[in-house]
Amino acid sequence: MIDLRENEPLAPYTAWRIGGPARYFVNVSSPEQQIEAVQWAEQQQLPIFMLGGGSNLLMSDAGWNGLVIRNRSTGFEIQEHGEQLTIHVQAGAPTAGTVRRLAAQGIAGLEWAEGLPGTIGGAIYGNAGCYGGETAKHLQSARLLMPDNQIVEWSAADFQFDYRTSQLKRLAANRPTTRIPYVLDVVLTAWRDDPARIASTMAEIAEGRKQRTPAGSSCGSVFKNPANTTAGRLIDAAGLKGFRMGAAQIAEKHANYILNLGGATASDILRVAEYAQTEVLKQFGIELELEVRVISSEDQSL
């Protein structure tokens, strides 16, 4: 039986530490609980928001006038197929934590995700990637709960992955008219390797991430990288490092990060992001596209 809460503040559950209250909120830790929560919300005719690790999104200051399902789990299963392995992982499993647990068992291929925030389901949704790796290269298949509540298996090709996007993310952009399919669990490909080599690679990646990641509350990269350059370089070249509105500030350490200095609102973040887009377009003729998903009141209609 799911344990519902009412008027739960969402800021503690998001990487930016921003977000108003959810009318209803529930933690789930398995596909079965996830399905139960979705069906309850549909019986009540409530809009649903599936929240994993709370990264790569900006939640509305007004919160969510429906049910927020926070999906967090730890389960995975390893299956051997000769030299190739398949990893069966629940959607709510933390990306970085899962990769570390696999690495400790000498399982390679996902080292690039060391330190990556969010959950496996979110990584599929946004085709998360860094350091030359991306989720699409390792996904074999996934089970999804469809809008008609049928459970369907998609292959990697069905997700129509592209740079930091998938068919799920495209469908979400059509809200409020469409309830998108929800990822329940996935099958990833990997292989065995020397644990010492895996540990060394992950340590290098962790150090690199530490050197480039600003301290403080942020969602990671705010903008997608344009062709042949990076959003951070463009924003830096526009002279915007340290630019601030309200309690939101473009980071001095990495210009594609916007920090919540304490008490920032979603409106503060958006104003800073829009100013950066305007200045980069004016100075360089390049349109920066948001990588972060912005959740507004318009998303909350059935």
Side-chain angles (χ1 to χ4, degrees):
M1 188 70 178
I2 58 174
D3 183 18
L4 290 167
R5 306 178 195 171
E6 294 188 50
N7 298 315
E8 180 79 4
L10 294 175
Y13 302 107
T14 69
W16 246 322
R17 298 296 181 259
I18 290 173
R23 181 177 174 188
Y24 296 101
F25 178 92
V26 64
N27 282 302
V28 301
S29 59
S30 69
E32 293 73 24
Q33 290 181 348
Q34 188 178 352
I35 292 168
E36 182 182 357
V38 168
Q39 292 176 342
W40 179 85
E42 291 187 331
Q43 290 168 2
Q44 307 301 316
Q45 297 186 317
L46 293 170
I48 301 164
F49 186 78
M50 197 68 63
L51 178 68
S55 62
N56 204 39
L57 67 89
L58 179 62
M59 179 58 70
S60 167
D61 295 320
W64 185 260
N65 189 26
L67 175 65
V68 171
I69 302 172
R70 183 173 181 260
N71 189 9
R72 300 291 280 176
S73 60
T74 58
F76 66 78
E77 178 185 348
I78 303 167
Q79 294 185 355
E80 305 265 359
H81 307 278
E83 294 183 0
Q84 192 80 4
L85 305 177
T86 55
I87 317 298
H88 296 246
V89 193
Q90 294 180 14
T95 304
T98 299
V99 169
R100 289 170 190 155
R101 290 173 65 196
L102 291 171
Q105 298 183 48
I107 297 174
L110 301 168
E111 296 94 321
W112 54 269
E114 161 62 23
L116 201 68
T119 61
I120 295 293
I124 299 296
Y125 171 87
N127 190 19
C130 55
Y131 296 101
E134 64 178 3
T135 308
K137 295 177 182 178
H138 297 274
L139 180 69
Q140 180 173 300
S141 63
R143 286 196 315 149
L144 291 92
L145 181 66
M146 304 303 286
D148 62 0
N149 286 326
Q150 296 297 307
I151 296 175
V152 172
E153 184 172 303
W154 278 15
S155 69
D158 292 325
F159 283 90
Q160 300 176 43
F161 287 116
D162 205 342
Y163 175 65
R164 301 297 178 265
T165 195
S166 70
Q167 181 62 4
L168 294 183
K169 196 168 183 178
R170 296 184 194 99
L171 289 172
N174 294 329
R175 273 186 176 273
T177 59
T178 304
R179 199 210 91 182
I180 70 169
Y182 298 129
V183 179
L184 298 173
D185 42 44
V186 309
V187 180
L188 303 173
T189 58
W191 53 88
R192 292 204 177 274
D193 203 343
D194 177 19
R197 189 209 63 77
I198 299 171
S200 176
T201 299
M202 291 179 66
E204 289 179 12
I205 291 173
E207 181 60 27
R209 188 179 290 278
K210 179 181 177 181
Q211 292 299 323
R212 67 191 291 271
T213 302
S217 299
S218 72
C219 77
S221 295
V222 175
F223 300 104
K224 294 180 180 179
N225 288 327
N228 304 318
T229 187
T230 68
R233 289 194 186 102
L234 289 169
I235 297 167
D236 185 6
L240 296 179
K241 276 189 174 179
F243 177 80
R244 175 176 176 175
M245 287 184 175
Q249 182 183 52
I250 294 176
E252 295 277 3
K253 194 170 186 178
H254 191 314
N256 200 13
Y257 281 64
I258 298 177
L259 303 177
N260 176 359
L261 300 178
T265 64
S267 299
D268 290 337
I269 299 289
L270 284 175
R271 286 191 299 148
V272 171
E274 288 166 1
Y275 187 79
Q277 288 173 307
T278 300
E279 286 299 305
V280 167
L281 180 61
K282 182 170 67 176
Q283 295 186 40
F284 306 109
I286 296 175
E287 293 189 29
L288 291 180
E289 182 182 353
L290 285 173
E291 183 174 323
V292 64
R293 182 181 176 190
V294 178
I295 310 302
S296 69
S297 59
E298 294 174 357
D299 292 306
Q300 303 177 35
S301 303
L302 287 174

